[in-house]
Amino acid sequence: MLIYSLLSGVLFGLYFSLIGLGLNLVFGVMRIVNLAHGDFLMLGAYCAFWMYTLFGVDPVYAIPVAFVLFALIGLPLYYALVPRLLAARDPEMLSIILFFGLSQVIEALSTIAFGTSEQSIPGSELGRSLRAFVGWLAGHDIESGPIEVFGQSFPSAWVMSAIASLVAVAFVYFYLYRTRTGYLTRAVMSRRDEALATGIDVHRISAIAFGIGIALASIGGVFAPFMLGSITPAMGVDATVTSFAVIVVGSLGSPLGTVLGGLVYGVSYMLVQTYLSSWANLLPYLLLIGILLVRPSGLLGKRVRLA
Amino acid sequence: MAPVTAAFAILPSVYSNHLLLFNFVVFLTLAQGVNVIYGFTGYLPFGYVGFFGAGAYGFSLLVMHLHAPPVLALGAAGVSAVALGLLLTPLLRLSGAYFSIANLAASLAVLHFISNPNLEPITRGPYGVSLSGVFNPDLAYSIAVAVMAFALIVVVYLRNSRFGLALQAVREDAVSAASAGVDVVRVRVYAWLISSVIAGFAGGVYAWYVSVFYPETVFGSDYSIFAIVFALFGGVSTIIGPIVGVVLLYGVYNFIGFSTPQYFQLIYGALIILLVLFLPQGLISFVKRRGVDVP
Amino acid sequence: MNHALVALGALASAALCPVPVACAADAPSEIRIGHLYASAGRFASISMPVHYALKLWIDQKNADGGVFVKGFGKKIPIKLVDYDDQSNTSTAATLYNQLITQDKVDILIADSGSVLTSVAVPIARDHKVMLVDPTGTGAAFFSPDNPWIALMADPVSTVWPKPVADWVSQEGPRLGIKKLAILYSTNEFTGTQANAARKFIKESGAPIEIVFDQGVPTETSNYTVLINNIRAANPDMVLHFGYAPNDIAFLRNLADSGVKFKGLFCIYPGLETDLIEKNVGEKGLQYVMTYVTSNDLAYKVDFGMDLPRFRDAWSKKYPDGKVEFGFNSIAGYTTGLVLEKALGDMASLDQGELRRAIFAQSGKLKTLDGTFGLDETGGQIGELTPLGQFTPDEHGHLKLNAIYPQDTATGKPVYPRP
């Protein structure tokens, strides 16, 4: 039971990292709190759901579609909301309220469009085409079903989402450390005012980061019907809170920190669920507060504390 | 301040949807509580409802287990909110969004703690509180109005005292306030506790008034968000701002509710976005910009 | 509030709202029924069917000239006054007050769903108005010192699990059920059922050991680790008490992880069969035990339409299928039937008289929802929910059989599952 919980914690924790990754990027670059993060995850989930329901598309293909679609939505959304917000006196605080409003609008429109009842995609559909391909290579059919990891069997969706999460982390790393825009993004992250002074187009850099941020959320959403039971328009709030716990536990600005945060969160969640199940939902909040208060400020960036 | 209190003291005799009036009074109180902490110190309490819920449960525990008279139990509501406030003072070390997120997390932690089934013998866990012996909505309403008056007096005091000035100085620039001899940590903690006791009283009187509720009812994040949005809409760090905010915005909210509730959430969300983008300083800033001094 | 204020209020209201007080002997031109529903939010899916069913009943009665009230000796048409609370409790509270104080309704029907009903309980009590509660089962609502509530269409949460607990303790040992696992979501509706089931089984003295007994937060959306832990305890039967999303997640995770328990009980497959089947698939529901509601059992009726006729009337009135027919639609219609029967017995539209007339139907009224029965606190103890099981028929389609108690059984239990 202990080993199973630990391994589950690692796999599920990687999924949590995927959920938190985009939020981390947005907060790191813009210092704004995207309370609608979970709602973009929800939209990503419906994107996969409708692609499957209408055209029978394997949700794996929904990943690139959702990524491009939401990155494109993110750019104009950034220009519509953020520059005006940053001009106000206290943008960090006001962003909480602004994005809460956005979250309400998204949830309301989704409720009107999708209805309130739970939806999902059958578990065997995720990676159906991958299985067919592997089966073709191997010369025999591959059954859908649990996958063995270190002698324990886990739902295949867990393994696939963990892999997707690692790929996404690698992508963000590559973007930040191996591209020119990424280099500028890091400059904006560390010193926004100086970046502005040196002539960097801060808004363009931020808009791209914002687009990538919500695109990553939508990828997390593609796996949601498999990882979170079922999807409804109201699911965004829980996802947002979880994401915050993950990125705060890890460190802001660094994708590796988010992985760490996800793993810590996932493993401790599964352990509590196993040994003290009814307290499981207290954990993320205590972890979040505890880490915020105890963790040395270095890991969390310089501006965490005041007074 | 006197006219508002008087108005809500008299209104029940001319308008019989007392619960609507009661909700107005509760939100007027909470909006002033948010005003104390956000308007005067700059900390945005996204989990403000934690104090409200703590008050409601403080009240209920005393009534359920000790059969205390309601007025005494209200004292317990204030005490439990202040106790929670004290427990959370370390959060004040955090700045900006970190404080808000940690505060939100704290309120959710308290919710999940109280509603844990292992605590059923004490808090009734997730099964909800039912206070039957003390039910007296008329008296509870009058006390609610008194609590609101208390909150108003606090804000009037902050507007016109050295303490209030010190707070605003800290909000604008903590370092220079400290060098001018203000004990930064202490004034912040005081404001934080005052704001928590206001919400605690409001929660206690709410528990008394409704007498049957679930943990989710008194810890619903709607309360925090409504109170913040109302206060911001009117304009914080004034006395009138939050009042105007509640009366206008909560009025509109109920009007939509009675007439066409189809697009409730949508209209509300859109309103919040527009508010932040175009009126970040609140309605009062309109008047202020024209050189009128607003109390 | 002090006396001067009250006196002032009386004066002011006399001056401002000169409402003519109807003489009791005069028949009113209409009976005003006040009702809340939730078109959006968490409770929309259980609230809307109740609302639609009530509208169906009212339209049917009004087409017939109204409902007969004994005291006036004739039929009186019904006027429905309804608001949408959007699943928000504080909005609901305000609207309940609106119905009582501004619209002055004769009969107050709560929104279904315990959380939305809960706010109405003290308000109705305060105004000494009878709260007609269609399906809100919260144990806290019913107490000897509050006479102003009655539960219409489903039993209180403590009564729901009686049949499943009885089956486990009486038939279980013979079938080889020795070890039992209980997993529940920690909220009022499902937590109370788990507690009641545990108590029934322990008190029965049956040789059954509870090897796993855990509550998990209602927000739990992944059960894989829990399923593994339950499997490690090696139970012969698993009882899962959760809301519909919990059941969906649990049953899906069960299918995805390839674990099969010998026997499994869940609440919602029987209550919201269409929803669960859509999300879990027919295969995931095979041999699952659940409650059989009046949606699947054709009770013999003394009053009102029976199940097939009601279903016909429903599909005729709501052909677009946007609100699904299910247990909650029956609950709404049953609420109407109880009121119809009570009105036929009432001397006036006074609230005390309404209470007397509703309680007078206890044990006497047989509708498509079973036998209406109230205890002294207004809790429903008739209208039971037998144990059922989904078994595949010869074409592989699922069929829900009632399996216990014997007198309502339509099939034999299949245990252990093949």
Side-chain angles (χ1 to χ4, degrees):
Chain A
M1 240 160 63
L2 177 66
I3 293 173
Y4 193 86
S5 317
L6 288 175
L7 280 175
S8 306
V10 170
L11 289 175
F12 217 76
L14 284 172
Y15 177 64
F16 285 138
S17 312
L18 177 60
I19 292 182
L21 200 56
L23 187 67
N24 194 353
L25 194 63
V26 170
F27 188 82
V29 175
M30 275 148 272
R31 293 268 147 193
I32 58 171
V33 181
N34 181 9
L35 272 192
H37 184 76
D39 297 281
F40 289 108
L41 181 139
M42 176 269 291
L43 290 175
Y46 274 96
C47 176
F49 173 77
W50 286 111
M51 280 175 67
Y52 168 72
T53 310
L54 296 178
F55 310 111
V57 176
D58 181 341
V60 165
Y61 297 124
I63 297 173
V65 173
F67 188 87
V68 173
L69 183 68
F70 283 89
L72 290 179
I73 291 174
L75 296 176
L77 195 63
Y78 174 87
Y79 282 106
L81 298 179
V82 184
R84 225 194 143 84
L85 173 73
L86 292 179
R89 198 179 71 172
D90 190 0
E92 197 169 316
M93 295 294 193
L94 286 177
S95 70
I96 298 181
I97 302 165
L98 174 71
F99 282 93
F100 171 77
L102 181 65
S103 145
Q104 294 290 298
V105 169
I106 295 176
E107 192 182 321
L109 291 176
S110 313
T111 306
I112 294 166
F114 310 137
T116 49
S117 67
E118 289 82 7
Q119 308 282 7
S120 56
I121 307 173
S124 57
E125 293 298 324
L126 179 69
R128 188 189 54 204
S129 48
L130 287 182
R131 270 196 309 278
F133 179 69
V134 175
W136 177 76
L137 283 183
H140 61 85
D141 282 351
I142 308 269
E143 289 271 314
S144 79
I147 294 180
E148 294 263 325
V149 180
F150 296 115
Q152 309 273 350
S153 78
F154 292 95
S156 51
W158 287 42
V159 180
M160 280 192 248
S161 73
I163 294 170
S165 172
L166 291 174
V167 172
V169 171
F171 164 79
V172 173
Y173 242 97
F174 180 80
Y175 172 75
L176 286 179
Y177 291 90
R178 291 281 179 277
T179 66
R180 165 122 188 102
T181 337
Y183 175 74
L184 296 177
T185 310
R186 282 188 293 138
V188 176
M189 268 183 183
S190 56
R191 281 291 159 108
R192 190 183 182 86
D193 38 356
E194 281 177 20
L196 206 61
T198 52
I200 297 175
D201 184 349
V202 172
H203 278 313
R204 195 178 64 90
I205 300 292
S206 303
I208 294 172
F210 189 78
I212 295 178
I214 65 170
L216 288 170
S218 75
I219 294 183
V222 170
F223 289 98
F226 309 99
M227 304 300 285
L228 306 176
S230 54
I231 58 175
T232 68
M235 69 187 286
V237 184
D238 285 348
T240 305
V241 177
T242 309
S243 315
F244 271 112
V246 167
I247 67 164
V248 171
V249 171
S251 57
L252 286 164
S254 135
L256 214 57
T258 311
V259 176
L260 182 73
L263 290 179
V264 170
Y265 183 87
V267 169
S268 42
Y269 184 87
M270 291 306 176
L271 287 178
V272 176
Q273 200 179 51
T274 300
Y275 296 104
L276 267 176
S277 64
S278 66
W279 297 98
N281 57 355
L282 198 59
L283 180 86
Y285 308 117
L286 294 185
L287 210 58
L288 196 156
I289 298 169
I291 295 277
L292 266 182
L293 292 176
V294 174
R295 192 110 163 190
S297 55
L299 267 175
L300 294 166
K302 282 180 198 144
R303 286 183 49 219
V304 176
R305 290 183 186 181
L306 204 87
Chain B
M1 166 215 145
V4 180
T5 314
F8 278 94
I10 293 170
L11 271 169
S13 31
V14 288
Y15 182 68
S16 54
N17 191 342
H18 290 184
L19 197 95
L20 182 58
L21 296 178
F22 180 79
N23 279 343
F24 264 104
V25 172
V26 165
F27 279 118
L28 281 167
T29 312
L30 291 177
Q32 293 297 0
V34 167
N35 193 10
V36 170
I37 185 71
Y38 181 57
F40 288 87
T41 70
Y43 286 100
L44 185 68
F46 221 59
Y48 192 54
V49 72
F51 300 125
F52 184 77
Y57 270 88
F59 179 90
S60 309
L61 289 182
L62 228 64
V63 169
M64 280 192 299
H65 297 295
L66 302 176
H67 305 284
V71 179
L72 189 69
L74 264 184
V79 169
S80 42
V82 169
L84 180 64
L86 277 173
L87 190 69
L88 297 183
T89 41
L91 298 189
L92 293 174
R93 287 189 304 179
L94 304 168
S95 76
Y98 289 93
F99 170 81
S100 300
I101 295 165
N103 186 212
L104 174 67
S107 75
L108 291 168
V110 178
L111 161 66
H112 290 304
F113 181 77
I114 282 180
S115 59
N116 193 286
N118 295 325
L119 293 182
E120 198 200 334
I122 304 167
T123 63
R124 306 280 310 117
Y127 308 116
V129 166
S130 170
L131 308 170
S132 41
V134 295
F135 191 63
N136 188 346
D138 284 346
L139 185 58
Y141 180 87
S142 314
I143 303 286
V145 173
V147 170
M148 176 182 77
F150 166 70
L152 285 169
I153 291 170
V154 167
V155 177
V156 170
Y157 169 73
L158 289 180
R159 286 279 301 182
N160 301 299
S161 67
R162 278 181 59 87
F163 177 61
L165 272 177
L167 278 178
Q168 295 188 52
V170 171
R171 185 192 62 190
E172 296 307 328
D173 187 346
V175 180
S176 30
S179 59
V182 177
D183 185 343
V184 173
V185 175
R186 198 159 76 197
V187 293
R188 276 182 178 158
V189 170
Y190 282 163
W192 176 237
L193 295 182
I194 293 172
S195 147
S196 69
V197 80
I198 290 174
F201 282 141
V205 80
Y206 179 87
W208 187 9
Y209 193 98
V210 302
S211 82
V212 175
F213 59 88
Y214 289 98
E216 295 84 12
T217 323
V218 291
F219 282 99
S221 16
D222 279 1
Y223 281 103
S224 313
I225 290 153
F226 276 26
I228 291 171
V229 169
F230 293 156
L232 268 180
F233 181 73
V236 286
S237 62
T238 61
I239 303 160
I240 299 205
I243 299 176
V244 173
V246 172
V247 170
L248 279 184
L249 222 47
Y250 195 56
V252 169
Y253 182 86
N254 283 292
F255 178 74
I256 306 174
F258 289 146
S259 53
T260 43
Q262 284 298 316
Y263 302 110
F264 233 42
Q265 202 182 19
L266 185 61
I267 296 174
Y268 227 64
L271 216 57
I272 292 173
I273 295 178
L274 294 177
L275 164 68
V276 175
L277 290 183
F278 297 101
L279 263 185
Q281 301 291 312
L283 275 182
I284 295 296
S285 62
F286 264 153
V287 191
K288 270 190 177 165
R289 250 180 265 153
R290 279 161 188 73
V292 184
D293 184 42
V294 183
Chain C
M1 213 164 303
N2 63 41
H3 292 288
L5 268 184
V6 174
L8 187 76
L11 264 176
S13 54
L16 290 171
C17 346
V19 181
V21 180
C23 176
D26 288 340
S29 61
E30 58 189 20
I31 301 172
R32 297 167 69 79
I33 294 189
H35 176 48
L36 295 192
Y37 60 94
S39 77
R42 218 145 68 82
F43 301 100
S45 56
I46 55 175
S47 175
M48 292 312 283
V50 173
H51 180 60
Y52 272 40
L54 272 171
K55 284 210 294 200
L56 187 151
W57 170 73
I58 290 171
D59 289 351
Q60 219 175 38
K61 289 298 115 188
N62 283 347
D64 200 28
V67 180
F68 180 79
V69 183
K70 193 167 115 189
F72 306 120
K74 64 171 189 177
K75 284 181 179 171
I76 302 174
I78 298 170
K79 167 92 165 67
L80 179 66
V81 187
D82 53 358
Y83 296 116
D84 185 351
D85 58 43
Q86 305 260 317
S87 299
N88 179 318
T89 47
S90 59
T91 308
T94 316
L95 293 170
Y96 283 124
N97 238 293
Q98 185 80 0
L99 286 172
I100 295 174
T101 61
Q102 303 298 300
D103 303 316
K104 302 196 172 16
V105 294
D106 299 305
I107 296 173
L108 178 67
I109 304 179
D111 198 335
S112 44
S114 292
V115 173
L116 293 173
T117 312
S118 73
V119 288
V121 176
I123 298 171
R125 183 178 168 186
D126 179 31
H127 290 91
K128 301 196 167 37
V129 167
M130 189 66 196
L131 183 65
V132 177
D133 172 9
T135 59
T137 57
F141 307 166
F142 307 99
S143 63
D145 64 349
N146 177 18
W148 299 108
I149 183 170
L151 178 54
M152 299 287 121
D154 61 353
V156 285
S157 339
T158 44
V159 174
W160 280 81
K162 183 102 175 89
V164 58
D166 284 354
W167 179 76
V168 168
S169 43
Q170 284 165 29
E171 306 287 316
R174 194 173 52 79
L175 293 165
I177 298 178
K178 294 192 179 65
K179 290 194 255 177
L180 182 72
I182 300 177
L183 176 68
Y184 58 99
S185 304
T186 51
N187 62 72
E188 140 85 44
F189 183 60
T190 58
T192 311
Q193 292 192 38
N195 293 343
R198 187 188 307 114
K199 189 165 147 266
F200 287 137
I201 291 169
K202 279 192 175 154
E203 281 173 1
S204 72
I208 289 172
E209 186 196 351
I210 298 178
V211 290
F212 181 99
D213 189 352
Q214 284 195 14
V216 294
T218 311
E219 298 82 9
T220 304
S221 56
N222 200 301
Y223 286 84
T224 306
V225 169
L226 289 162
I227 287 169
N228 185 65
N229 296 347
I230 296 174
R231 189 182 56 176
N234 199 17
D236 301 308
M237 174 87 198
V238 177
L239 307 183
H240 176 235
F241 297 97
Y243 273 127
N246 302 118
D247 271 347
I248 292 171
F250 182 82
L251 290 166
R252 277 173 58 101
N253 291 158
L254 203 58
D256 288 347
S257 53
V259 175
K260 279 183 180 152
F261 294 120
K262 281 190 262 179
L264 170 64
F265 170 87
C266 294
I267 296 180
Y268 275 84
L271 266 63
E272 303 287 344
T273 312
D274 296 354
L275 176 75
I276 305 288
E277 195 180 318
K278 182 180 77 185
N279 282 289
V280 173
E282 285 204 320
K283 224 171 152 204
L285 278 180
Q286 276 180 9
Y287 304 107
V288 170
M289 295 185 190
T290 185
Y291 292 131
V292 186
T293 60
S294 40
N295 188 13
D296 297 286
L297 267 185
Y299 286 104
K300 217 168 90 57
V301 303
D302 291 352
F303 191 66
M305 293 183 277
D306 60 11
L307 182 62
R309 279 172 57 214
F310 176 54
R311 197 190 279 269
D312 278 354
W314 179 278
S315 44
K316 213 169 280 164
K317 189 163 168 65
Y318 306 115
D320 63 0
K322 268 196 178 151
V323 172
E324 278 165 41
F325 183 89
F327 168 67
N328 283 300
S329 3
I330 294 170
Y333 180 61
T334 305
T335 305
L337 290 179
V338 175
L339 288 176
E340 183 179 343
K341 190 84 176 170
L343 283 164
D345 190 32
M346 282 163 65
S348 70
L349 289 180
D350 174 67
Q351 291 297 318
E353 177 65 3
L354 174 62
R355 176 177 197 277
R356 185 201 60 76
I358 288 176
F359 276 75
Q361 309 313 320
S362 179
K364 291 184 203 147
L365 178 60
K366 289 192 170 69
T367 71
L368 74 172
D369 199 23
T371 306
F372 180 77
L374 294 177
D375 65 12
E376 68 278 7
T377 63
Q380 178 62 236
I381 47 168
E383 301 168 352
L384 294 178
T385 44
L387 179 67
Q389 186 179 33
F390 286 98
T391 40
D393 64 10
E394 57 271 27
H395 310 292
H397 292 304
L398 285 181
K399 190 170 170 302
L400 179 58
N401 286 325
I403 55 174
Y404 192 86
Q406 307 296 352
D407 52 336
T408 47
T410 57
K412 289 247 167 287
V414 181
Y415 180 92
R417 64 165 296 165

